[in-house]
């Protein structure tokens, strides 16, 4: 009887959402090229369970940890035998990139386990309201204010990425240019008004400028240039911005930014602060008009759990 209890407990420990995420994290770290991991996830997502081990075997040959293949075979065997576990496995798989960002924000294994439980990754029938309530309880009761703010930033970036097509490079650069999580989140939410409420870009910029100049005016000149670069669709010289960010950290830590740096170091940039080329503006209007997402919580600072790929697929079927 005791042996059976120990076996059941061991199986339970290896089939929790946190254990599944732990496997994916370990496998990712064992690969030299992160593109291999992305391809592995894509293959796992589209391949039937009975064929998946054979299809992903080449990725494990590139892994520095040979034991991970055995662990993966056990996971797949359990998924073949238990449809509920298969659903949990695929839900974690779908959300793996987002979960990586959450783990960095939480910086604590216990909190990460609690987050996965709050999001009910092992309960495919959980309603949106149940997940939302669990998430709010987790943030309010288990996270300190600093950790909660980092989580708010992760969710704000996820929404901005989904709605505006902003990639991680753009978001990271903007975050470091601003240097303040609360202000950065406000800026991301304001940018989305261009889509949600069809607010003209100039009006969006004016709102952001007023907010920034009230709270951190020294960051506005370079942030304005960056936002215009993103909006225009021009190729962004990230080295330019990161050189500037590094310059500020090294030479102006906790002090007013030297705006003259822009002119002294990049006199040939030919940036025009308030004018837009007509054809670029027309192109952007078309680009942003293609995205028209409505939100019941416009104007409210409510943290919504991000959708997994599985949830998005279900939503598309309903539509």
């Amino acid at each position: 009887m005791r042996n059976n209890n120990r076996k059941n407990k061991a199986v339970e420990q290896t089939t929790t959402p946190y254990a599944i995420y732990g496997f994916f994290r370990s496998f990712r770290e064992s690969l030299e090229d992160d593109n291999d991991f992305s391809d592995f996830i894509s293959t796992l997502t589209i391949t039937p369970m009975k064929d998946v081990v054979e299809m992903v075997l080449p990725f494990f040959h590139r892994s520095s940890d040979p034991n991970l293949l055995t662990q993966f075979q056990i996971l797949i065997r359990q998924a073949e035998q238990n449809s509920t576990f298969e659903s949990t496995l695929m839900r974690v798989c779908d959300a793996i990139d987002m979960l990586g960002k959450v783990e960095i924000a939480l910086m604590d294994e216990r909190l990460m386990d609690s987050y996965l439980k709050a999001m009910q990754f092992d309960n495919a029938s959980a309603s949106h309201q149940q997940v939302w309530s669990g998430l709010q309880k987790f943030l309010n009761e288990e996270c300190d204010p600093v950790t909660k703010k980092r989580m708010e930033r992760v969710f704000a970036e996820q929404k901005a990425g989904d709605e505006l097509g902003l990639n991680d490079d753009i978001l990271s650069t903007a975050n470091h240019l601003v240097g303040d999580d609360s202000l950065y989140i406000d800026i991301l939410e304001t940018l989305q008004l261009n889509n949600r409420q069809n607010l003209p870009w100039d009006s969006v910029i004016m709102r952001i400028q007023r907010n920034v100049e009230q709270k951190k005016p020294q960051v506005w000149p370079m942030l304005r240039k960056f936002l215009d670069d993103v909006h225009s669709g021009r190729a962004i010289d990230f080295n330019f911005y990161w050189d500037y960010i590094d310059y500020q950290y090294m030479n102006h830590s906790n002090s007013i930014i030297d705006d003259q740096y822009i002119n002294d170091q990049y006199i040939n940039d030919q940036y025009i602060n308030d004018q837009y080329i007509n054809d670029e503006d027309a192109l952007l209007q078309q680009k942003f008009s293609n995205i028209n997402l409505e939100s019941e919580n416009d104007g409210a600072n409510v943290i919504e759990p991000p959708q997994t790929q599985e949830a998005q697929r279900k939503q598309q079927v309903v539509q």
Side-chain angles (χ1 to χ4, degrees), residues 144-200:
D144 60 57
V146 175
T147 302
K148 183 178 179 181
K149 182 59 66 176
R150 287 198 301 265
M151 289 292 288
E152 290 176 356
R153 188 188 74 200
V154 169
F155 291 134
E157 288 182 333
Q158 181 75 7
K159 282 188 176 182
D162 290 344
E163 292 194 20
L164 304 177
L166 303 180
N167 61 37
D168 288 346
D169 288 336
I170 290 174
L171 292 168
S172 178
T173 304
N175 181 32
H176 283 81
L177 283 173
V178 175
D180 180 283
D181 277 351
S182 294
L183 180 56
Y184 172 59
I185 292 170
D186 288 344
I187 290 170
L188 291 180
E189 291 175 348
T190 304
L191 285 172
Q192 292 171 71
L193 296 178
N194 186 239
N195 298 325
R196 293 179 178 179
Q197 299 179 8
N198 291 322
L199 198 66

Side-chain angles (χ1 to χ4, degrees), residues 194-195 201 227-234 276-290:
N194 186 239
N195 298 325
W201 177 250
L227 292 175
D228 285 347
D229 279 352
V230 173
H231 181 68
S232 71
R234 293 187 292 264
Y276 296 93
I277 300 174
N278 290 334
D279 58 348
E280 285 186 343
D281 195 57
L283 179 64
L284 280 163
Q285 291 294 335
Q286 180 181 4
K287 173 184 176 183
F288 281 90
S289 66
N290 290 334

